[in-house]
């Protein structure tokens, strides 16, 4: 029930980023996204600090995602009213509703499936292990919040340049810009990854108490996913308008990840799940 409610509020919120990009409100998106990423940490940390049980933590998460959804809805409504009142016809480019749906629906569908797929490992772990071990696992999969902010900011800032180069048929320039963005992200991300892998055994017990020392190895393995986070790989697909492929890629990713997770959990126990995420 709790996971269903979280998904109910979280999936519609995935429209926030593309809507803010379209409205040229990247700065607002970064601030709001950073605030909620930081808030998520405290929503989980505070109940754990006061030794609350898992159900209480899930209740807090449902409230958090509900508040996030309604805040995002209010922000988007406010911006849409501003744009409606200051409509500028000079750009000339207008698309039919059918064209917009054809472009946007695969993005929304893939993001929705990706959000649901993000719970696969937790569902599998909950069926194989005790509630206490499940809690250890979820603490180990704690994301590093500012990574998403930096990554999304870089991609959003470059999106307009990608579109301009693509419309000018400058494919070489577009790929060169993308490669440069990957290099910039790697220069930031790889030292961060190494740092958190090294301090994981100290960080996790410090944040969540010594009861969660087993979560450290989960955190270390899971953090290695950052090796591949040097780009949001769908950015090029979105620019060229071939968004339908995102649905098939997401479906393949979810199915293969589920199969690999089950297989590796059977072999390596709880550590098999984060290894599957890296694979």
């Amino acid at each position: 029930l709790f996971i269903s409610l979280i998904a109910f509020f979280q999936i519609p919120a995935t429209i926030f980023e593309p809507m803010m990009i379209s409205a040229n409100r990247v700065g607002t998106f970064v601030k709001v996204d950073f605030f909620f990423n930081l808030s998520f940490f405290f929503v989980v940390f505070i109940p754990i600090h006061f030794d609350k049980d898992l159900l209480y933590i899930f209740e807090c998460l449902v409230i958090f995602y509900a508040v996030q959804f309604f805040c995002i809805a209010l922000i988007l409504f406010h911006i849409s009213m501003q744009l409606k009142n200051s409509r500028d016809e000079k750009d000339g480019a207008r698309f039919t509703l059918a064209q917009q749906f054809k472009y946007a629906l695969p993005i929304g569908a893939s993001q929705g499936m990706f959000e649901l797929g993000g719970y696969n490992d937790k569902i599998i772990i909950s069926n194989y292990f005790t509630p206490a071990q499940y809690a250890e696992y979820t603490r180990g999969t704690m994301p590093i919040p500012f990574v998403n902010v930096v990554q999304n900011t870089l991609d959003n800032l470059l999106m307009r340049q990608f579109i301009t180069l693509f419309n000018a048929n400058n494919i070489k320039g577009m790929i060169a810009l993308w490669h440069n963005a990957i290099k910039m992200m790697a220069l930031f991300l790889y030292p961060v990854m190494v740092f958190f892998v090294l301090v994981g055994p100290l960080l996790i017990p410090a944040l969540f108490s010594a009861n969660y020392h087993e979560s450290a190895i989960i955190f270390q393995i899971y953090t290695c996913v950052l090796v591949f986070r040097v780009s949001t790989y769908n950015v090029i697909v979105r620019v060229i308008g071939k968004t339908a492929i995102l649905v098939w890629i997401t479906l393949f990713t979810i199915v293969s990840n589920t199969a690999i997770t089950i297989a590796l959990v059977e072999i390596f126990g709880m550590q098999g799940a984060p290894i599957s995420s890296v694979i």
Side-chain angles (χ1 to χ4, degrees):
L1 174 63
F2 288 121
I3 290 177
S4 298
L5 287 171
I6 290 171
F8 176 80
F9 290 116
Q10 180 71 352
I11 290 172
T14 57
I15 198 175
F16 186 52
E17 180 186 354
M19 287 289 286
M20 296 300 280
I21 295 170
S22 301
N24 198 23
R25 299 291 198 278
V26 175
T28 303
F29 165 75
V30 171
K31 293 174 185 175
V32 174
D33 192 56
F34 178 79
F35 171 77
F36 280 111
N37 272 291
L38 191 63
S39 299
F40 175 84
F41 169 79
F42 289 104
V43 167
V44 175
F45 174 75
I46 292 173
I48 289 175
H49 180 72
F50 288 101
D51 294 323
K52 299 295 183 180
D53 60 23
L54 195 59
L55 283 178
Y56 184 87
I57 295 171
F58 272 119
E59 288 172 358
C60 292
L61 286 174
V62 170
I63 295 170
F64 167 78
Y65 282 115
V67 171
Q68 182 189 54
F69 169 75
F70 287 113
C71 287
I72 287 172
L74 286 172
I75 292 169
L76 290 177
F77 178 77
H78 176 69
I79 290 174
S80 67
M81 289 299 99
Q82 286 182 327
L83 294 174
K84 183 179 179 181
N85 295 331
S86 60
R87 183 176 295 164
D88 190 349
E89 301 290 341
K90 67 182 180 181
D91 291 336
R94 293 292 177 266
F95 299 95
T96 66
L97 191 61
Q99 288 174 313
Q100 293 180 54
F101 268 105
K102 184 179 179 181
Y103 176 84
L105 275 179
I107 297 176
S110 64
Q111 288 181 326
M113 288 187 293
F114 187 78
E115 289 293 333
L116 287 173
Y119 296 102
N120 274 2
D121 58 333
K122 295 178 178 63
I123 293 170
I124 293 168
I125 291 296
S126 68
N127 279 280
Y128 274 87
F129 300 96
T130 66
Q133 289 172 310
Y134 175 84
E136 290 177 358
Y137 177 78
T138 55
R139 299 289 68 76
T141 58
M142 178 189 72
I144 303 170
F146 59 84
V147 168
N148 281 337
V149 174
V150 174
Q151 188 178 52
N152 288 332
T153 302
L154 182 60
D155 280 342
N156 293 338
L157 291 173
L158 294 175
M159 181 67 80
R160 285 178 175 268
Q161 296 181 54
F162 282 133
I163 294 171
T164 300
L165 290 168
F166 179 71
N167 289 337
N169 202 31
N170 186 357
I171 306 303
K172 288 184 178 180
M174 188 170 125
I175 293 173
L177 178 64
W178 187 43
H179 288 176
N180 286 334
I182 289 173
K183 291 175 185 176
M184 290 172 60
M185 194 65 193
L187 284 171
F188 160 74
L189 203 58
Y190 288 169
V192 168
M193 180 192 70
V194 172
F195 172 77
F196 278 100
V197 167
L198 292 176
V199 303
L202 301 174
L203 178 66
I204 297 300
L207 290 175
F208 304 117
S209 82
N211 293 330
Y212 291 90
H213 69 278
E214 294 292 338
S215 301
I217 184 62
I218 304 295
F219 177 76
Q220 288 175 303
I221 299 170
Y222 194 76
T223 300
C224 291
V225 172
L226 296 182
V227 168
F228 309 104
R229 294 281 299 278
V230 290
S231 177
T232 48
Y233 298 98
N234 66 11
V235 65
I236 299 297
V237 180
R238 286 159 55 189
V239 168
I240 66 177
K242 304 291 186 181
T243 54
I245 194 175
L246 294 176
V247 175
W248 299 109
I249 291 172
T250 305
L251 276 172
F252 172 78
T253 302
I254 292 172
V255 172
S256 59
N257 182 254
T258 301
I260 296 170
T261 300
I262 293 172
L264 293 185
V265 167
E266 290 278 1
I267 298 170
F268 298 109
M270 196 157 55
Q271 297 177 16
I275 294 172
S276 173
S277 294
V278 175
I279 293 175

